[in-house]
Amino acid sequence: MVVCALEEAGLRYDLKLINILAGEQLKDDYKAVSPLGKVPAAVIDGKPLTENSAILTFVARSAPESAVLPNVGLDPWVQAEAQSGLSFCGGTLHPQIRGLMAPQRLTTGDQFSPIREKSTQLAHQSFTFADRRIADRGWWIGSWSIVDVYLNWAFSAALRAGFDGASFPALLGLSQRLTAEKASFRRMMEIDARALVELGL
Ligand SMILES: N[C@@H](CCC(=O)N[C@@H](CS)C(=O)NCC(=O)O)C(=O)O
């Protein structure tokens, strides 16, 4: 998401790849930037910033004319709806997706299937809400914003983890719409694809 936001904002940035599967997020030099070893993290004017929602909001406010988060700083209601979407993706969906992808990270025991099952139920509720919203409004806040890219990331990650997305047509169509309508999304996808090759994944 952050790469898409930076591309949309037209801001200059250097990208450093972190191979989570190889545990690079747990190395001391990365933890100096992101103390909990979470990705993404940004270094802005030498200062570290973590949490997707904060980084995306910072990018949006650094390019207020861009569409990253439209009207941010101008219309308090639109700003709150966008914040609600970012929090929904980061705070509600992300842990549910972790339960689908890596249930072993959520228990000290060895029973993973109940965690995956409960996470599937919760993700189903969350995606039902999100699918209805996208079907009704087109985009999360009614016009495109980075929230739609975050939502698409969450849904795609759930599908990769084996979640059955067949009953969410609006979310199933999101990736295609983003590809068709947003150059910044296409650039992010190209950068992602190159990164996977570079990391040998
Ligand atoms: N609340 C954080 C969550 C970030 C997060 O969990 N990122 C995952 C990658 S999608 C991660 O860092 N996984 C590596 C790990 O937890 O060790 C945010 O929204 O930025």
XYZ file of all heavy atoms in Angstrom, residues 94-103 106 112 115-117 119:
130
model
N -6.376 -7.099 9.592
C -5.002 -7.630 9.606
C -4.834 -8.788 10.601
O -4.316 -9.850 10.236
C -4.018 -6.486 9.895
C -2.674 -6.692 9.260
N -1.981 -5.694 8.620
C -1.891 -7.785 9.170
C -0.844 -6.179 8.169
N -0.766 -7.444 8.502
N -5.309 -8.646 11.857
C -5.169 -9.781 12.795
C -5.965 -11.010 12.355
O -5.547 -12.148 12.601
C -5.719 -9.227 14.120
C -5.676 -7.753 13.975
C -5.833 -7.450 12.521
N -7.093 -10.790 11.704
C -7.879 -11.942 11.237
C -7.120 -12.684 10.139
O -7.130 -13.916 10.068
C -9.250 -11.471 10.735
C -10.104 -10.915 11.875
C -11.331 -10.150 11.412
O -11.560 -9.961 10.219
N -12.122 -9.686 12.364
N -6.449 -11.913 9.293
C -5.676 -12.533 8.210
C -4.464 -13.271 8.782
O -4.097 -14.339 8.310
C -5.283 -11.467 7.178
C -6.548 -11.101 6.416
C -4.224 -11.955 6.208
C -6.520 -9.775 5.787
N -3.880 -12.705 9.839
C -2.774 -13.415 10.496
C -3.274 -14.763 11.016
O -2.574 -15.768 10.926
C -2.187 -12.583 11.632
C -1.056 -13.323 12.332
C -0.258 -12.464 13.280
N 0.431 -11.408 12.581
C 0.241 -10.109 12.805
N -0.593 -9.720 13.729
N 0.910 -9.201 12.132
N -4.490 -14.788 11.550
C -5.066 -16.045 12.042
C -5.267 -17.070 10.934
O -5.213 -18.277 11.175
N -5.500 -16.579 9.711
C -5.651 -17.491 8.567
C -4.295 -17.971 8.059
O -4.107 -19.139 7.726
C -6.343 -16.772 7.392
C -7.767 -16.270 7.574
C -8.205 -15.483 6.348
C -8.695 -17.449 7.783
N -3.353 -17.028 7.987
C -2.061 -17.326 7.356
C -1.082 -17.993 8.309
O -0.306 -18.842 7.905
C -1.404 -16.033 6.845
C -2.120 -15.379 5.715
S -1.255 -13.888 5.207
C -0.249 -14.530 3.895
N -1.115 -17.533 9.551
C -0.084 -17.989 10.494
C -0.688 -18.208 11.880
O -0.317 -17.535 12.838
C 1.048 -16.965 10.543
N -1.633 -19.157 12.005
C -2.292 -19.377 13.302
C -1.305 -19.745 14.406
O -1.562 -19.468 15.583
C -3.277 -20.520 13.015
C -2.823 -21.141 11.745
C -2.124 -20.078 10.973
N -0.410 -17.180 16.966
C -1.431 -16.680 17.891
C -1.699 -17.637 19.045
O -2.709 -17.511 19.735
C -2.735 -16.405 17.129
C -2.643 -15.352 16.023
C -3.985 -15.170 15.335
C -2.178 -14.006 16.589
N -3.965 -25.525 15.894
C -4.050 -24.380 14.966
C -5.415 -24.284 14.281
O -5.858 -23.208 13.914
C -2.955 -24.467 13.898
C -1.568 -24.539 14.475
C -0.569 -25.255 13.839
C -1.265 -23.900 15.677
C 0.704 -25.336 14.379
C 0.009 -23.983 16.220
C 0.991 -24.706 15.574
N -8.062 -21.857 15.626
C -7.701 -20.445 15.373
C -8.023 -20.097 13.928
O -8.609 -19.048 13.638
C -6.201 -20.204 15.664
C -5.926 -20.493 17.140
C -5.795 -18.780 15.304
C -4.463 -20.506 17.494
N -7.673 -21.014 13.037
C -7.949 -20.750 11.619
C -9.467 -20.678 11.389
O -9.949 -19.819 10.649
C -7.314 -21.836 10.750
C -7.163 -21.400 9.319
C -6.409 -22.386 8.446
N -4.973 -22.183 8.427
C -4.084 -23.100 8.773
N -4.462 -24.271 9.185
N -2.794 -22.841 8.704
N -10.199 -21.567 12.074
C -11.658 -21.611 11.902
C -12.300 -20.310 12.405
O -13.135 -19.705 11.730
C -12.203 -22.798 12.709
C -13.536 -23.291 12.258
C -13.959 -24.507 13.100
O -13.102 -25.373 13.377
O -15.111 -24.535 13.501
N -10.822 -17.418 12.848
C -10.361 -16.306 12.005
C -11.146 -16.270 10.702
O -11.453 -15.189 10.180
C -8.862 -16.439 11.712
O -8.135 -16.432 12.910
